Amino acid sequence: MQPRNPTRPIFVGDQRTGIVQIGGGIAPDHPLAKGLASPTTAAPVSVQTMTAGYTHDIDKCVAEIHKLTAAGADVVRVAVPERKDTEALPEILAQTNVPIVADVHFHFKRALEAVEAGVHKIRLNPGNINDRDQVEAVIDACKDRKIPIRVGVNEGSIIERKDKQARAKELGAVFSDQKHGYLLSIMIAKLEEYLDIFYERDFYDIAISAKSMDATVVIDAYTEIAKRFAHPLHLGVTHAGPKETGCIRSVVALGSLMANGIGDTIRISYANDPIYEVEDGLELLYSLGLRERKGAELIACPTCGRIQVDLFSLVQDVNDKLSEAIEVPMKVAVMGCVVNGPGEAEGADVAVFAGDRKGIIYVQGEKVATVGEDEILDRLLDECKAFQERVRSGEAKLGEKKVDIVPPDPEGELGSGWEKMAAQRMGHTPLTIEGN
Ligand code: SF4
């Protein structure tokens, strides 16, 4: 993991919602640090999402924002394509408690109306709001209200991409040696042209995004932008598709960038309920150690021919129950058998090793129960809740393994040893085979 790229931070929100810092760590003598009250360190990477319903449908929009906030969204964006959407904003802002971003395309007046309504950030697209007077009007309104602006140069809205080779040659084709060179040169030039308008008006509270549906364009574009602009970067793969494939596309691009220190806020986008964007975004940040985990971390084996319980259902049920009941970041392991289970679950605070329609439950290495398959879920959850209380009261410490987990005898009380299973299936004494 590379250290975070330093940027000029932006601050999104107000006293009521709480303020989310995005980026930070710029050197005080950097030209872009102008006007910053004090030196900052980089804030934890934040998770954003966007409502899927109509903004003017106030009750539904508010309900969706509450749901996304409860799932862990730090910032929520809403689309404001029509006047009736910006008219709904004051009521939505009054009923919600998370920073709200107005997503503006084509009509600069929607941005002015959203600022007037009190939103906490504006997103502008240079591809469809590029009249200088209009851009200046939005900048001035945001400056008056101290609202940051995200400039999003999405690949899809850069009209010159259709003739990118010719346009890039005009621009000097600064990246012609790269696979995406022509496109990158257009994106960078667009950004430079656009940001000059902001700088000329002494406005620096800017975040940048450069999304594409192609993960490799996203990696190349943000890498080049991070070298040139010390503004926080909002990462995302746009139009990533259904959750199943969109997840891979987003995680490969965003994970690669963040491992290299690039990126200050993320939005994973799926053609699905945005709650998945929040959940998967948070999990990505937890996996990279960029956010402190909230709730339990579930470790589960992939299962194999040694399994003797319905582990897939058990894991799903455990996952659902843990997300409802556990708030401390304990590690919970659900392992299909005792062959490799104990070693693989090392470090888990609470673990179950399944066997022949039974499970042995351990808490920090100490065996606490052997229960039948039907009781595993409830007993495991009870142990997790009890452990959570002990952590909260200071009696136990997360990650502290008091006793080594000694693999139970596969031929013992669990009766789940693969050799025994193989013998039963094959009807003869099995050969010794290595576990996975
Ligand atoms: S060996 Fe046991 S723990 Fe490992 S995948 Fe197979 S069932 Fe799961």
Side-chain angles (χ1 to χ4, degrees), residues 16-172:
R16 202 177 54 77
T17 62
I19 292 174
V20 175
Q21 180 186 327
I22 300 176
I26 195 167
D29 58 350
H30 190 289
L32 277 185
K34 198 174 166 187
L36 273 181
S38 56
T40 56
T41 51
V45 178
S46 51
V47 170
Q48 305 201 20
T49 188
M50 193 167 175
T51 52
Y54 295 120
T55 304
H56 60 257
D57 192 340
I58 294 175
D59 289 347
K60 281 190 183 161
C61 186
V62 167
E64 199 178 3
I65 292 169
H66 284 318
K67 187 179 79 166
L68 297 170
T69 311
D74 299 301
V75 175
V76 177
R77 186 159 42 117
V78 298
V80 288
E82 297 182 52
R83 180 77 182 103
K84 60 186 176 185
D85 296 304
T86 50
E87 280 172 349
L89 287 174
E91 193 54 44
I92 291 168
L93 288 159
Q95 293 186 42
T96 54
N97 55 4
V98 67
I100 301 289
V101 183
D103 192 56
V104 183
H105 292 267
F106 299 106
H107 303 289
F108 83 106
K109 284 199 172 151
R110 297 293 93 79
L112 299 180
E113 292 155 8
V115 171
E116 187 60 33
V119 290
H120 305 105
K121 185 177 161 197
I122 295 287
R123 182 269 164 112
L124 286 186
N125 184 343
N128 56 42
I129 298 182
N130 49 25
D131 176 272
R132 192 178 178 101
D133 291 342
Q134 294 181 359
V135 177
E136 286 180 350
V138 177
I139 294 170
D140 291 348
C142 288
K143 196 172 173 187
D144 279 351
R145 297 272 189 136
K146 298 189 170 33
I147 298 172
I149 298 175
R150 169 161 68 95
V151 174
V153 283
N154 283 9
E155 180 198 354
S157 55
I158 294 178
I159 48 168
E160 296 93 333
R161 76 188 193 285
K162 293 185 185 117
D163 191 18
K164 57 190 176 199
Q165 200 156 334
R167 172 74 169 136
K169 274 184 184 149
E170 270 173 46
L171 295 166

Side-chain angles (χ1 to χ4, degrees), residues 301-307 335-341 344 436:
C301 87
T303 84
C304 70
R306 299 174 180 96
I307 199 86
M335 310 306 285
C337 78
V338 297
V339 173
N340 288 334
E344 288 165 358
N436 64 2

Side-chain angles (χ1 to χ4, degrees), residues 15 28 53 59 75 87 91 135 159 249 255 260 290 298 309 311 314 318 321 366 391:
Q15 217 168 6
D59 289 347
V75 175
E87 280 172 349
E91 193 54 44
V135 177
I159 48 168
R249 227 186 264 185
N260 282 303
L290 290 169
L298 181 57
V309 295
L311 199 86
L314 178 63
V318 170
K321 297 283 182 192
E366 277 185 86
V391 170

Side-chain angles (χ1 to χ4, degrees), residues 150-355:
R150 169 161 68 95
V151 174
V153 283
N154 283 9
E155 180 198 354
S157 55
I158 294 178
I159 48 168
E160 296 93 333
R161 76 188 193 285
K162 293 185 185 117
D163 191 18
K164 57 190 176 199
Q165 200 156 334
R167 172 74 169 136
K169 274 184 184 149
E170 270 173 46
L171 295 166
V174 287
F175 305 104
S176 57
D177 56 333
Q178 290 194 16
K179 182 180 171 204
H180 304 299
Y182 297 126
L183 183 59
L184 294 193
S185 61
I186 296 169
M187 286 173 122
I188 300 274
K190 273 266 167 197
L191 263 177
E192 282 171 345
E193 285 167 16
Y194 212 64
L195 292 190
D196 275 349
I197 307 173
F198 289 65
Y199 297 155
E200 280 168 25
R201 301 193 88 70
D202 221 17
F203 188 95
Y204 304 98
D205 295 330
I206 301 162
I208 296 174
S209 63
K211 300 186 187 179
S212 165
M213 63 288 288
D214 182 330
T216 63
V217 171
V218 169
I219 293 171
D220 286 349
Y222 279 100
T223 302
E224 293 302 331
I225 288 168
K227 289 179 197 162
R228 288 165 174 75
F229 304 95
H231 293 295
L233 298 186
H234 166 122
L235 304 185
V237 174
T238 191
H239 304 110
K243 175 174 160 44
E244 294 73 18
T245 48
C247 180
I248 306 286
R249 227 186 264 185
S250 297
V251 166
V252 73
L254 274 51
S256 159
L257 286 164
M258 288 192 287
N260 282 303
I262 296 170
D264 303 283
T265 184
I266 61 170
R267 186 220 173 171
I268 288 184
S269 45
Y270 295 143
N272 208 321
D273 187 329
I275 201 150
Y276 298 121
E277 301 180 356
V278 180
E279 290 174 354
D280 290 359
L282 282 168
E283 190 57 42
L284 174 57
L285 297 180
Y286 296 151
S287 303
L288 289 168
L290 290 169
R291 281 283 286 263
E292 197 174 325
R293 183 177 287 278
K294 284 190 184 145
E297 178 178 10
L298 181 57
I299 301 161
C301 87
T303 84
C304 70
R306 299 174 180 96
I307 199 86
Q308 286 193 315
V309 295
D310 179 1
L311 199 86
F312 288 162
S313 304
L314 178 63
V315 168
Q316 196 53 56
D317 291 344
V318 170
N319 195 36
D320 293 346
K321 297 283 182 192
L322 289 177
S323 62
E324 286 166 15
I326 302 300
E327 288 168 2
V328 305
M330 66 172 73
K331 278 191 182 168
V332 179
V334 178
M335 310 306 285
C337 78
V338 297
V339 173
N340 288 334
E344 288 165 358
E346 205 165 65
D349 295 296
V350 182
V352 60
F353 305 101

